[in-house]
C-alpha cells in the first residue's frame, strides 16, 4: 500500500531489454507471404491502366490486386463523401497513394514485383498548399465537395464589437507545421485467415476499436475475429487510423490461403502513415495598455490532406475549444474550415488539436507583451484564470469546463527554477555585446483537454463509446490478473495499473499480472490515446479493487469468525482488528472464495472478480508552465536550446518515473516541431521529406537536459485525482521554444517566425530587421 | 541471384547459412537465425534500431550485407546478458526508465555497450555524442543518458541490487 506515487521500476522492461519483445513483425511464421503496395509517383493523377502481367510473370508472385477486386467491400471508414477507397479508384490524391497491392512469397520477390507492375497515369494539377486549394479556380479533389472544403463553421460575428472596443488590436497569422509522428516501428500487420477465424496482429493503439470496424467491413461476426496488438513500437496517435493494409491483408490471407505480412518501409511510412498538425490560424486580439486581453477571434484552417480522416476532421474542433488556454478572456469567438489538398491525410499526432491551440494563444500572449512592453510573464499573470475560479466554464464551448489548476503557482515556480531575473539581466548584457550569442527566454503556460472518457466524447470520433473497460480477478492462490481495454505502446500500463491495484489490495506488484491488447482475452476496450488511460482504466481498476477488497474482507471475517466491519486489510493481510495478530492472507481468502463450503451462507463462489466500464463525469485539464532559454548565433542563425524547465500539473502522479518519461518524450517532440521537423512538399506536390535523411527526428545531442517540477492540483473528477500526462510535453513545448527564439530578436522589432525555426529563417529575420533599422 | 554460405559467430554460437547475395545482415539475423531482438526502423541508416556489434564495433545491420559479415563475431541484444545476469547497461535501462516502447532499445543498448567498453566512465556529452546514430521517439534521451551513467557506476563485477 502507498504504492500510488512511487517510482516503481517497470514490469515491462525485462523482455524488452533482452531482445524478447514480441512486436508484430517478430511473430512472423514460416511460409508467410509478403504484401507490398505499388505507390503512385504522382500527387494527383488519373489512373488509366494497370498491367499486372509483368509482375505476375515473376517466380514467387502470388497475386496482384487493384481496387476492382475489392468491389464487394465498402470504402475505408471515414467522413462521406471524402472517404478513401481501399486502393486508389481511378484517381490518386496524394504522392504515394497505393494503386495496387502485390502478394509474393518473399520480401525480395515482392520488392521486384512492385517495380514490375505497369501503371499508366495522366497527371493532374496538384494543390499541395492551403492557399492553392482555396483559390477560386483550384482543381477540385472531391466532386461532391466544392471548393475543396469538407465543413465550414464560420466565426461568430458578435466578436467584432468587442475587438473594436478594445484599446488596441493586433493580428497574427500562424502556421502549425505538418509533422510526421514517426513511431520507430512503422505500421505493421500480420493477418492469418487460413482457418475458420481471422487472426490479426497489428501495431495498433486500439485493438477492440479495430475489431469493431474490421468485422463490420468484412461482414463477419465479431466472435470470428481475434485482433492482437502485441508489443507496439510507439504510436503517438499515428496507429489508430484506418490504414488500408488492416483491411486488405485479411482478405489476401483468405483469398490465397496464406498468412500475410505487411511492414511499411520508413519511406513508405512517411507517405502512408497519416501526418499531424498541418493547420493555419488567423487570429485577432483586442487588448489594453496593461496587457489585459479583452477579445480573441480565431479562424482555424485545417489541412485534411487528400482524404478526410475522422480524427483529422476533429482536430480543429479541439483547437477551437481550447483557443483561450488558461486565460480569462471576456470575449472569444472561433471558427474553422477543413480543406483538402493533394497531400497525405492528416490525423492525430500527440496532442491532436491542443498543441495547435496552445501555440496560437501562447504566441498571441507574447505578441501582446511585445506590443505593450509588459513583461511576458507578467502578461500571463494578469490574464490567468485565478485558482479560486474552478470549476471554470470557459467561454469557447459549453463542453469546456476546466476542472482544477493553479496557473499563477505553476508560473511562479517556473520563474524560480529558471532564475528569471538573472536571465533577464544576462539577456540585456548580451544584446549590448555584438560578439555574444543572443539570448532568448520563452514561456508557455499551457492547458489541454484530456481524459477522453465523458459519455459522447469519443462517439463523435467514431468510437463505440467513451468508457474504458477493466477487469480484476483474484486467482485461487491470491495473485491477481487485470485485463485492461487500454492498450499501451510504451506508456507502462502494466506497471501503472499494477501499482493502483496493489495500492488498494496490498498484493505485491510482482503478483499482479496485467494483460491488454488481445480481443480474445480482454473483455472490451476503447484504446490508448488522448491522455486517458489513468483517468479511465486506472480509476476503473481502483473501483474494481475497492469492491473486490470489500468482498474479500467479508470472506476473511468468516474465516476468522470476526466482525467484517472490524477487519483491517494491511500489507496484504486481513487482520481480525487493528493490531490483532490473528489474520489471513490473500491466498487463504482467495482459495476460500472458490470453495462454497468455506463461504458465508448466501455468498456464491467466485466473487473476487469485478469488471468496470469506467466513464468520466468531465474531461480533465492537465496544465503547466514551461520555460525555454535559447542562444542564437548572430552569424549563422543557429538556435541552441540552453536550458528547458517544465512545471507540470497532471493532478495525482501514479509513477513519477513514468510521468517524467512521458513529459520528456513529449517535450522532445515539441522542441523538434519548433526547430527541426517539417513534412515538406515541392511546388508540384511531391513529398520532399521521404526519408529520415530529410525529415529531421532529433537524436541525443540535439536535445537538452530537462529540469522538471510539479505544481499539481488533483482533479475532483475522480478519486485518484489524476488528469493524464501522455501529451503534456508535446502540447506545451512548441510555443516555449518559438517565443524564446523571437525573444532573441524582439528588441530589433521581430514579432513573428514560423516553425520550424530553422537557422535560415532566424538569420533572414535577424538581417532583415537590422537592415530595416 | 547468386547464393553464398555465410559463417558468423552470433552471440558466441557459430552459424552457417546460405543466403542470397542481396541479403542484409539484419535479414539474416531476424530471419534464418531467428533473433528478432534486432529491429528495422528505417531504410536509410538513420534510426539505429538495427545496431549490432561486429567484432565489438557498433554497426547498423541494415546497411551491411550478410556476406560482408562472413567470418566475424556478431553480438546482438540477445547476447548482452550473461545467462540470467543482465549486463550493467541493461540493468541501467531498467533502473532509470531508459526505454518506453522498447523498439529502438536493442540498438541503443548495443551502442551503449560498445561505448562503455571503449570509455568506461563517459560524461553526459560523450554519451549523447556516441548515441547520435540512435533515434528514440519515446524518451527524449535524458533517461537513456542516465541509464548509461548508471551502468558506468555499476560495472559488471559489482553486486547489482534489483
Amino acid at each position: 500500500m502507498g504504492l500510488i506515487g512511487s517510482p516503481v521500476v517497470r514490469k515491462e522492461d525485462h523482455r524488452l531489454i533482452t531482445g524478447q519483445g514480441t512486436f508484430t513483425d517478430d511473430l512472423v511464421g514460416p511460409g508467410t507471404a509478403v504484401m507490398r503496395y505499388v505507390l503512385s509517383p504522382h500527387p494527383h493523377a488519373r489512373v488509366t491502366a494497370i498491367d499486372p502481367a509483368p509482375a505476375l510473370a515473376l517466380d514467387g508472385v502470388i497475386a496482384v490486386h487493384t481496387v476492382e477486386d475489392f468491389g464487394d467491400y465498402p470504402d475505408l471508414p471515414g467522413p462521406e463523401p471524402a472517404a478513401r477507397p481501399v486502393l486508389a479508384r481511378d484517381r490518386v490524391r496524394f504522392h504515394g497513394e497505393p494503386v495496387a497491392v502485390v502478394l509474393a512469397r518473399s520480401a525480395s520477390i515482392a520488392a521486384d514485383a512492385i517495380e514490375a507492375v505497369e501503371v499508366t497515369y495522366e497527371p493532374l494539377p496538384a494543390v499541395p498548399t492551403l492557399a492553392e486549394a482555396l483559390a477560386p479556380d483550384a482543381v477540385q479533389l472531391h466532386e461532391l465537395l466544392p471548393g475543396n472544403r469538407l465543413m465550414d463553421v464560420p466565426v461568430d460575428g458578435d466578436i467584432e464589437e468587442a475587438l473594436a472596443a478594445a484599446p488596441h488590436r493586433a493580428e497574427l497569422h500562424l502556421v502549425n507545421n505538418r509533422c510526421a509522428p514517426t513511431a520507430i516501428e512503422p505500421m505493421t500487420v500480420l493477418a492469418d485467415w487460413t482457418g475458420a477465424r481471422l487472426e490479426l496482429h497489428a501495431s495498433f493503439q486500439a485493438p477492440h476499436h479495430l475489431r469493431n470496424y474490421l468485422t463490420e467491413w468484412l461482414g463477419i461476426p465479431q466472435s470470428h475475429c481475434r485482433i492482437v496488438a502485441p508489443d507496439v513500437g510507439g504510436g503517438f496517435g499515428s496507429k489508430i487510423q484506418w490504414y488500408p493494409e488492416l483491411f486488405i491483408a485479411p482478405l489476401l490471407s483468405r483469398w490465397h490461403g496464406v498468412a500475410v505480412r505487411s511492414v511499411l518501409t520508413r519511406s513508405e511510412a512517411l507517405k502512408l502513415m497519416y501526418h499531424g498538425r498541418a493547420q493555419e490560424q488567423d487570429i485577432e486580439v483586442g487588448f489594453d495598455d496593461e496587457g489585459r486581453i479583452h477579445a480573441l477571434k480565431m479562424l482555424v484552417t485545417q489541412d485534411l490532406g487528400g482524404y478526410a480522416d475522422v480524427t483529422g476532421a476533429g482536430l480543429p474542433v479541439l483547437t477551437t475549444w481550447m483557443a483561450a488556454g488558461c486565460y480569462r478572456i471576456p470575449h472569444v469567438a472561433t471558427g474553422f474550415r477543413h480543406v483538402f489538398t493533394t497531400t497525405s491525410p492528416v490525423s492525430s499526432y500527440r496532442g491532436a488539436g491542443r498543441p495547435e491551440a496552445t501555440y496560437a494563444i501562447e504566441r498571441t500572449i507574447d505578441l501582446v507583451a511585445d506590443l505593450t512592453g509588459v513583461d511576458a510573464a507578467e502578461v500571463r499573470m494578469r490574464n490567468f484564470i485565478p485558482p479560486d475560479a474552478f470549476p471554470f466554464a470557459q467561454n469557447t464551448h459549453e463542453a469546456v469546463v476546466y476542472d482544477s489548476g493553479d496557473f499563477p503557482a505553476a508560473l511562479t515556480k517556473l520563474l524560480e527554477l529558471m532564475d528569471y531575473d538573472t536571465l533577464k539581466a544576462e539577456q540585456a548584457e548580451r544584446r549590448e555585446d555584438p560578439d555574444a550569442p543572443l539570448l532568448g527566454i520563452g514561456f508557455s503556460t499551457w492547458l489541454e483537454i484530456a481524459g477522453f472518457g465523458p459519455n459522447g466524447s469519443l462517439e463523435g470520433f467514431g468510437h463505440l463509446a467513451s468508457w474504458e473497460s477493466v477487469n480484476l480477478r483474484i486467482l485461487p492462490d491470491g495473485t491477481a490478473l487485470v485485463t485492461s481495454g487500454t492498450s499501451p505502446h510504451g506508456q507502462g500500463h502494466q506497471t501503472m495499473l499494477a501499482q493502483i491495484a496493489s495500492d488498494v489490495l496490498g498484493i505485491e506488484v510482482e503478483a499482479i499480472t496485467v494483460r491488454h491488447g488481445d480481443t480474445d482475452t480482454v473483455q472490451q476496450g476503447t484504446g490508448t490515446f488522448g491522455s486517458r488511460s489513468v483517468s479511465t482504466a486506472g480509476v476503473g481498476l481502483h473501483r474494481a479493487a475497492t469492491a473486490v477488497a470489500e468482498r474479500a474482507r467479508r470472506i476473511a471475517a468468516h474465516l476468522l469468525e470476526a466482525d467484517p466491519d472490524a477487519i483491517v486489510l494491511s500489507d496484504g493481510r486481513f487482520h481480525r482488528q487493528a493490531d490483532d495478530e490473528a489474520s489471513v492472507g490473500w491466498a487463504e481468502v482467495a482459495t476460500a472464495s472458490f470453495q462454497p463450503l468455506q463461504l458465508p451462507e448466501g455468498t456464491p463462489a467466485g466473487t473476487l472478480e469485478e469488471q468496470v466500464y469506467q466513464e468520466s463525469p468531465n474531461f480533465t485539464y492537465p496544465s503547466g508552465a514551461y520555460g525555454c532559454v535559447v542562444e542564437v548565433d548572430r552569424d549563422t542563425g543557429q538556435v541552441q536550446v540552453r536550458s528547458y524547465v517544465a512545471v507540470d500539473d497532471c493532478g495525482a502522479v501514479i509513477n513519477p518515473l513514468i510521468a517524467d518519461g512521458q513529459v520528456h518524450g513529449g517535450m522532445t517532440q515539441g522542441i523538434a516541431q519548433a526547430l527541426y521537423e517539417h513534412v515538406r512538399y515541392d511546388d508540384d506536390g511531391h513529398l520532399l521529406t521521404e526519408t529520415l535523411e530529410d525529415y529531421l527526428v532529433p537524436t541525443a545531442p540535439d536535445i537538452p537536459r530537462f529540469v522538471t517540477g510539479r505544481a499539481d492540483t488533483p482533479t475532483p473528477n475522480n478519486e485518484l485525482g489524476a488528469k493524464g500526462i501522455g501529451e503534456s510535453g508535446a502540447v506545451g513545448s512548441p510555443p516555449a521554444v518559438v517565443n524564446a527564439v523571437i525573444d532573441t530578436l524582439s528588441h530589433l522589432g521581430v514579432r513573428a517566425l514560423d516553425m520550424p525555426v530553422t537557422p535560415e529563417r532566424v538569420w533572414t529575420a535577424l538581417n532583415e530587421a537590422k537592415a530595416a533599422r | 541471384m547468386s547464393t553464398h554460405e555465410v559463417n558468423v559467430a552470433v552471440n558466441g554460437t557459430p552459424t552457417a547459412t546460405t543466403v542470397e547475395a542481396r541479403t542484409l545482415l539484419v535479414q539474416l539475423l531476424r530471419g534464418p537465425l531467428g533473433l528478432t531482438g534486432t529491429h528495422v526502423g528505417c531504410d536509410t541508416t538513420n534510426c539505429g534500431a538495427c545496431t549490432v556489434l561486429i567484432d565489438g564495433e557498433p554497426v547498423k545491420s541494415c546497411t551491411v550485407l550478410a556476406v560482408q559479415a562472413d567470418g566475424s563475431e556478431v553480438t546482438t541484444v540477445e547476447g548482452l546478458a550473461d545467462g540470467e545476469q543482465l549486463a550493467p547497461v541493461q540493468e541501467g535501462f531498467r533502473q532509470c526508465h531508459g526505454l518506453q516502447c522498447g523498439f529502438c532499445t536493442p540498438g541503443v543498448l548495443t551502442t551503449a555497450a560498445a561505448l562503455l567498453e571503449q570509455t568506461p566512465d563517459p560524461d553526459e556529452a560523450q554519451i549523447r555524442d556516441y548515441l547520435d546514430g540512435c533515434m528514440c521517439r519515446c524518451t527524449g534521451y535524458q533517461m537513456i543518458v542516465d541509464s548509461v551513467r548508471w551502468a558506468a557506476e555499476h560495472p559488471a563485477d559489482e553486486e547489482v541490487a534489483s
Side-chain angles (χ1 to χ4, degrees), chain B residues 4-70:
Chain B
H4 305 267
E5 186 177 291
V6 174
N7 292 278
V8 192
V10 182
N11 300 327
T13 304
T15 68
T17 317
T18 301
V19 299
E20 281 189 350
R22 63 179 168 184
T23 303
L24 300 168
L25 176 58
V26 68
Q27 293 169 333
L28 169 66
L29 293 169
R30 288 182 54 82
L33 300 182
L35 294 168
T36 55
T38 303
H39 296 141
V40 178
C42 76
D43 41 16
T44 47
T45 325
N46 289 93
C47 83
C50 66
T51 305
V52 300
L53 306 181
I54 298 182
D55 298 329
E57 286 291 325
V59 172
K60 291 178 176 176
S61 63
C62 72
T63 312
V64 176
L65 294 167
V67 294
Q68 290 176 287
D70 187 42

Side-chain angles (χ1 to χ4, degrees), chain A residues 364-386:
Chain A
T364 302
I365 290 280
D366 263 39
L367 179 66
V368 169
D370 278 343
L371 294 176
T372 56
V374 179
D375 179 85
E378 181 57 30
V379 171
R380 287 174 166 81
M381 289 288 191
R382 289 178 186 174
N383 287 285
F384 277 148
I385 297 161

Side-chain angles (χ1 to χ4, degrees), chain A residues 135 166 184 211 229 243 247 263 387 448 485 492 553 562 690:
Chain A
I184 304 295
R211 188 268 320 267
Y243 297 124
F247 298 81
V263 187
E448 66 147 330
R553 182 199 308 274
E690 278 193 280

Side-chain angles (χ1 to χ4, degrees), chain A residues 205-513:
Chain A
Q205 297 176 215
H208 292 82
H209 183 45
L210 173 58
R211 188 268 320 267
N212 296 345
Y213 273 81
L214 180 58
T215 52
E216 184 182 345
W217 193 85
L218 291 169
I220 62 172
Q222 295 191 345
S223 55
H224 289 205
C225 172
R226 177 188 181 202
I227 307 279
V228 183
D231 287 323
V232 175
F236 316 111
S238 73
K239 289 178 177 170
I240 196 166
Q241 286 72 22
W242 302 132
Y243 297 124
E245 54 268 33
L246 293 163
F247 298 81
I248 292 174
L251 285 176
L252 296 189
S253 176
R254 190 71 174 163
W255 292 344
H256 300 288
V258 288
V260 172
R261 159 189 184 232
S262 166
V263 187
L264 297 187
T265 66
R266 177 57 56 190
S267 45
E268 288 169 344
L270 283 166
K271 297 187 187 89
L272 301 182
M273 294 182 75
Y274 290 1
H275 298 156
R277 314 290 189 254
Q279 193 185 91
E280 297 189 16
Q281 299 143 346
D282 289 287
I283 296 161
E284 284 187 71
V285 59
F287 56 98
D288 61 27
D289 286 327
E290 280 71 49
R292 287 197 173 77
I293 297 180
H294 294 212
L296 179 72
K297 174 184 172 184
M298 178 164 78
L299 172 64
V300 175
T301 306
Q302 179 68 54
D303 190 343
L304 294 174
Y307 297 96
D309 171 80
V310 64
T311 308
L315 299 176
V317 176
L318 292 174
T319 304
T320 54
W321 281 19
M322 300 311 295
C326 53
Y327 307 105
R328 177 140 71 183
I329 301 174
H331 303 279
V332 180
T334 63
F336 68 83
R337 51 188 177 169
H338 295 121
V339 180
F340 293 105
T341 58
T342 53
T343 61
S344 297
V346 173
S347 184
S348 49
Y349 171 41
R350 202 171 195 168
R354 292 95 89 202
E356 297 89 325
T358 302
Y359 188 69
I361 187 66
E362 290 302 298
R363 287 284 305 105
T364 302
I365 290 280
D366 263 39
L367 179 66
V368 169
D370 278 343
L371 294 176
T372 56
V374 179
D375 179 85
E378 181 57 30
V379 171
R380 287 174 166 81
M381 289 288 191
R382 289 178 186 174
N383 287 285
F384 277 148
I385 297 161
D388 61 3
F390 297 93
F392 181 83
Q394 184 56 283
N395 57 4
T396 51
H397 190 275
E398 61 187 9
V400 180
V401 180
Y402 297 167
D403 53 350
S404 68
D406 189 340
F407 310 132
L411 179 55
T412 301
K413 181 153 192 177
L414 177 73
L415 296 177
E416 286 167 16
L417 287 170
M418 293 179 82
D419 197 0
Y420 184 52
D421 293 339
T422 307
L423 280 172
K424 289 293 279 185
E426 184 183 356
Q427 180 182 47
E429 283 171 27
R430 295 280 193 98
R431 283 179 175 170
E432 297 304 317
D433 178 358
D435 296 327
L438 290 160
L439 188 78
I441 309 155
F443 298 113
S444 168
T445 46
W446 58 272
L447 168 137
E448 66 147 330
I449 183 170
F452 285 73
N455 285 330
S457 62
L458 292 175
E459 287 85 337
F461 291 96
H463 289 266
L464 174 64
S466 302
W467 40 253
E468 196 46 88
S469 156
V470 64
N471 178 289
L472 166 69
R473 75 186 69 152
I474 310 297
L475 304 180
D477 66 353
T479 60
L481 177 65
V482 175
T483 53
S484 166
T486 59
S487 190
H489 30 286
Q491 297 89 342
H493 289 176
Q494 292 182 8
T495 307
M496 176 273 284
L497 291 172
Q499 279 182 253
I500 290 172
S502 178
D503 192 84
V504 176
L505 302 170
I507 298 174
E508 298 285 321
V509 164
E510 293 72 28
I512 300 171
T513 297

Side-chain angles (χ1 to χ4, degrees), chain A residues 277 326-327 350 354-355 358-359 362-363 365-366 376-377 380-381 384 406-420 423 440-448 531 621-630 641 643-651 658-672 674 704 706-712 724-741:
Chain A
R277 314 290 189 254
C326 53
Y327 307 105
R350 202 171 195 168
R354 292 95 89 202
T358 302
Y359 188 69
E362 290 302 298
R363 287 284 305 105
I365 290 280
D366 263 39
R380 287 174 166 81
M381 289 288 191
F384 277 148
D406 189 340
F407 310 132
L411 179 55
T412 301
K413 181 153 192 177
L414 177 73
L415 296 177
E416 286 167 16
L417 287 170
M418 293 179 82
D419 197 0
Y420 184 52
L423 280 172
I441 309 155
F443 298 113
S444 168
T445 46
W446 58 272
L447 168 137
E448 66 147 330
S531 304
Y621 292 86
S623 60
Y626 289 179
C628 178
V629 179
V630 299
V641 178
S643 63
Y644 198 101
V645 183
V647 176
D648 267 283
D649 175 2
C650 67
I658 291 176
D660 275 353
Q662 289 297 309
V663 173
H664 287 181
M667 292 192 297
T668 298
Q669 289 174 341
I671 292 169
F706 302 109
V707 174
T708 53
R710 308 215 68 83
D712 290 321
I725 192 76
E727 294 157 299
S728 298
V731 170
S733 292
V737 179
V738 175
N739 283 340
V741 178

Side-chain angles (χ1 to χ4, degrees), chain A residues 520-558:
Chain A
D520 264 11
T521 57
V522 177
Q523 57 287 346
Q524 292 297 335
T526 298
T528 295
F529 50 87
S531 304
R532 67 188 299 274
S533 293
V534 174
S535 63
T536 57
V539 171
L541 179 57
H542 193 264
R543 289 189 187 176
T546 304
V548 164
E550 180 53 31
R551 283 178 225 140
R553 182 199 308 274
R554 294 188 175 276
I555 296 169
H558 184 70

